[in-house]
Amino acid sequence: MARPAHDVVVVGAGPAGLAAAASAASAKLRVLLVDDNPAVGGQIWRGEERNPATKEATFWREKVRAAGVDVLCGARIFDVAEPGVLLAETIGGVRRLPYWRLILATGARERFLPFPGWTLPNVMGAGGLQAMAKSGMPIEGKRVVVAGTGPLLLAVASYLAAHGAKIEAVVEQAPMSRLAGFSLQLLGMPAKIRQAIALRRQLAGVPYLTGCWPMAAHGDEKLERVTLTKKDKRWDVACDYLACGFHLIPNVELPNLIGCKLDGDFVSVDEWQATSVSDVYCAGEPTGIGGVELAILEGQIAGLAAGGQQAEARRLFAAREKYRRFAAAMDNAFALRPELRDIPAETLLCRCEDVTIARAQAHRSWREAKLHTRCGMGPCQGRVCGGAASFLFGWRTESVRPPVFPAQVAHLAAAPSERYSETVEEHV
């Protein structure tokens, strides 16, 4: 194969991808950073290109720019044409992206857990509501309940409150006993302590309910109130939005399609962030949910290793291990409680195909449920119900088929002998 236009392609322009791209470029490699969003930053730093608010985000954006990294936004990787060539769908057609080395920083998405009324309008992911607010959706004066688990809840609630929302409550399913133990893990991380104190100060007066979770959402045409439960008590809270997030699910569909070995739900990597596939690296949430700091360190190590700078990469190993220990403690502290599985059987599991929990659990596996009920075969391709089914039934998704994301028929059908053409301009 002729030498590609770029030595390294980085998929995903969140913290891990930005760090990986800048680090690989420091080895004088030609680097292409690809993301499906309109601008770099990923979900965590969305909108900061226009309205800088995080010093870290600005630092890595500028570092990528100074390193001469080529950036391709609005491009979604949906398939692999052949080994060493990705296919991306853009507004102008299909782009072939050949590479010598590949760094996957595909991030994660929120886990949704079903409960009666979860499909009502204005019931959405915690990060999803924050992203919509960052994109300009008016939130001022709106009553919001933020529920689920993990530190993200406080960050989302703080952002929404700063933009005029009235936070009725932050609802954390983990019990206070586990949270108290987790707080001890912060003693060696003063920056984390300062961040936690700042968030609580910004949310002064907002109820923070532990060992509590939403049981049902109610409303005629849209959300009007949510039923919360804590121990044996249940009560309703009137609200305009319910923002839910029950952990994150790694986006491993593309690594899986490429053939990267998985270790449970995550991509298996070695000390250099290299996967089981030659010249393919992975960093950030696909290798384990650990937060921004860990994602950046993994991205740096992957980029440096891809550029042959192992000595520089090794200097980051100790810091990476520190944040991996923090991630393990966080995972233990915010483990989902078994009571969240106690859901009425008539509740929808797959909203794309209107499959209830009862219909799905009549089968023995994810594959069997898909074949008999079409669960996971709608527009989201199981990205919502798959994570819920994994928690509720212990099921695993066995395989990933192209396209990884829905693509235009013209793009899929073009040049069938080679699967896809170099560039396809027509649309359907």
Side-chain angles (χ1 to χ4, degrees), residues 353-420:
E353 296 293 332
D354 292 331
V355 179
T356 64
I357 288 176
R359 286 182 62 202
Q361 68 184 165
H363 303 285
R364 295 170 295 179
S365 68
W366 175 249
R367 176 177 173 79
E368 187 177 301
K370 286 179 69 175
L371 290 172
H372 288 87
T373 70
R374 289 190 54 82
C375 181
M377 297 180 71
C380 86
Q381 288 293 285
R383 283 178 170 78
V384 176
C385 57
S390 174
F391 171 71
L392 295 175
F393 313 131
W395 290 348
R396 296 184 59 81
T397 54
E398 293 87 357
S399 63
V400 174
R401 297 180 179 180
V404 176
F405 290 99
Q408 295 186 46
V409 174
H411 296 166
L412 299 175
S417 62
E418 299 177 9
R419 296 190 69 181
Y420 304 94

Side-chain angles (χ1 to χ4, degrees), residues 141 227 281:
T227 299
Y281 300 78

Side-chain angles (χ1 to χ4, degrees), residues 4 19 24 29 159 169 211 245 253:
L29 297 177
Y159 180 89
E253 290 82 5

Side-chain angles (χ1 to χ4, degrees), residues 6 22 27 37-38 51 71 87 130 151 195 208 221 280 284 310 316 319 387:
H6 296 94
N37 287 300
N51 303 300
V71 177
L87 292 168
Q130 183 183 31
Q195 184 181 41
Y208 182 66
E221 296 182 357
V280 177
Q310 274 74 15
L316 302 173

Side-chain angles (χ1 to χ4, degrees), residues 121-417:
N122 292 352
V123 178
M124 57 184 65
L129 181 57
Q130 183 183 31
M132 292 178 72
K134 285 183 177 182
S135 299
M137 187 186 80
I139 197 73
E140 187 173 358
K142 301 296 184 181
R143 301 164 300 172
V144 181
V145 172
V146 181
T149 199
L152 177 66
L153 300 185
L154 288 174
V156 169
S158 176
Y159 180 89
L160 297 176
H163 287 76
K166 184 179 186 303
I167 309 300
E168 298 292 340
V170 177
V171 179
E172 168 60 62
Q173 62 87 38
M176 178 55 77
S177 57
R178 273 200 263 127
L179 298 183
F182 175 66
S183 65
L184 297 177
Q185 300 292 324
L186 302 180
L187 295 179
M189 296 182 171
K192 292 284 187 184
I193 294 175
R194 290 193 297 270
Q195 184 181 41
I197 292 173
L199 288 174
R200 290 303 296 141
R201 184 178 294 124
Q202 291 159 13
L203 293 169
V206 174
Y208 182 66
L209 309 175
T210 61
C212 184
W213 62 96
M215 286 198 67
H218 313 275
D220 293 327
E221 296 182 357
K222 62 179 180 179
L223 177 69
E224 296 173 5
R225 67 187 193 283
V226 58
T227 299
L228 303 177
T229 183
K230 180 179 172 70
K231 295 183 178 179
D232 296 326
K233 182 182 177 184
R234 297 181 184 180
W235 69 100
D236 285 357
V237 177
C239 56
D240 302 300
Y241 289 97
L242 171 59
C244 282
F246 291 91
H247 281 319
L248 297 174
I249 300 174
N251 293 324
V252 298
E253 290 82 5
L254 182 56
N256 199 352
L257 183 66
I258 290 171
C260 300
K261 179 184 176 182
L262 300 185
D263 182 7
D265 294 329
F266 302 101
V267 178
S268 178
V269 294
D270 67 10
E271 61 181 346
W272 309 109
Q273 301 295 136
T275 72
S276 60
V277 178
S278 179
D279 294 324
V280 177
Y281 300 78
C282 192
E285 283 88 351
T287 70
I289 308 300
V292 172
E293 295 87 355
L294 180 57
I296 290 173
L297 286 164
E298 289 188 351
Q300 288 177 276
I301 291 169
L304 291 168
Q309 301 183 86
Q310 274 74 15
E312 290 84 349
R314 189 177 291 280
R315 295 189 184 100
L316 302 173
F317 282 11
R320 180 181 61 183
E321 184 57 33
K322 173 184 175 181
Y323 280 103
R324 281 181 172 175
R325 290 195 299 270
F326 172 79
M330 183 171 63
D331 192 53
N332 179 67
F334 296 102
L336 297 180
R337 59 196 308 134
E339 294 97 323
L340 293 170
R341 296 188 177 96
D342 298 334
I343 307 165
E346 66 274 11
T347 305
L348 281 180
L349 172 67
C350 174
R351 59 185 176 188
C352 296
E353 296 293 332
D354 292 331
V355 179
T356 64
I357 288 176
R359 286 182 62 202
Q361 68 184 165
H363 303 285
R364 295 170 295 179
S365 68
W366 175 249
R367 176 177 173 79
E368 187 177 301
K370 286 179 69 175
L371 290 172
H372 288 87
T373 70
R374 289 190 54 82
C375 181
M377 297 180 71
C380 86
Q381 288 293 285
R383 283 178 170 78
V384 176
C385 57
S390 174
F391 171 71
L392 295 175
F393 313 131
W395 290 348
R396 296 184 59 81
T397 54
E398 293 87 357
S399 63
V400 174
R401 297 180 179 180
V404 176
F405 290 99
Q408 295 186 46
V409 174
H411 296 166
L412 299 175
S417 62

